[in-house]
Amino acid sequence: MVPAHWRPHPARAADRRFRPRGPLIKALDDTIERRRGKRISAKGIYRDPVRSSDRHFGKASGLRWMSLMLLAPIPWAGRIWALPLLTALVLSERACRE
C-alpha cells in the first residue's frame, strides 16, 4: 500500500496567485440610474456630468447609487479593474423628508 501524500487544494494555489502585493486601494463612485414612474419613491433630480458643461447644467431624474470598489490590477487584462464590494441606494432630499 502506498502512503497518502498531502497536496494543497488547487483553489489554495490559485488563491496565492491573486493575493495583493501592495496596499489595498479603494474607490467610491456614484451612478445615476435613470428611472421614471409614479411608484419609484426614492428618485430625485441630480446633476448629470455627461450632459453638463461649464456653461450648461444638465439634469437627470432617477436613482442615485453609491459603490465602494476595490481597485485591483488584473495581470491578464493589462489594466486596473474596479471590483465592487458594496453598493447602496442614496435617497434624495425629497425622499428623506417624506
Side-chain angles (χ1 to χ4, degrees):
M1 183 173 216
V2 179
H5 292 285
W6 181 83
R7 291 186 200 156
H9 192 273
R12 288 277 190 197
D15 187 37
R16 278 188 228 112
R17 283 186 293 181
F18 294 112
R19 188 175 298 145
R21 292 174 187 81
L24 292 176
I25 301 171
K26 296 174 221 97
L28 284 173
D29 182 45
D30 65 328
T31 302
I32 298 172
E33 178 185 358
R34 288 171 179 79
R35 289 284 185 163
R36 292 187 287 176
K38 295 176 187 176
R39 293 177 26 182
I40 302 173
S41 61
K43 70 180 176 182
I45 298 175
Y46 304 102
R47 179 186 178 274
D48 189 355
V50 175
R51 296 179 183 172
S52 298
S53 67
D54 291 336
R55 294 176 292 214
H56 177 70
F57 184 81
K59 294 186 279 185
S61 176
L63 302 172
R64 184 175 173 200
W65 294 91
M66 187 68 67
S67 297
L68 173 66
M69 294 166 285
L70 176 66
L71 300 180
I74 306 296
W76 49 266
R79 62 182 351 155
I80 295 175
W81 282 13
L83 307 173
L85 297 175
L86 176 71
T87 301
L89 178 63
V90 179
L91 296 176
S92 66
E93 289 182 33
R94 182 185 53 84
C96 285
R97 278 184 266 141
E98 293 176 356

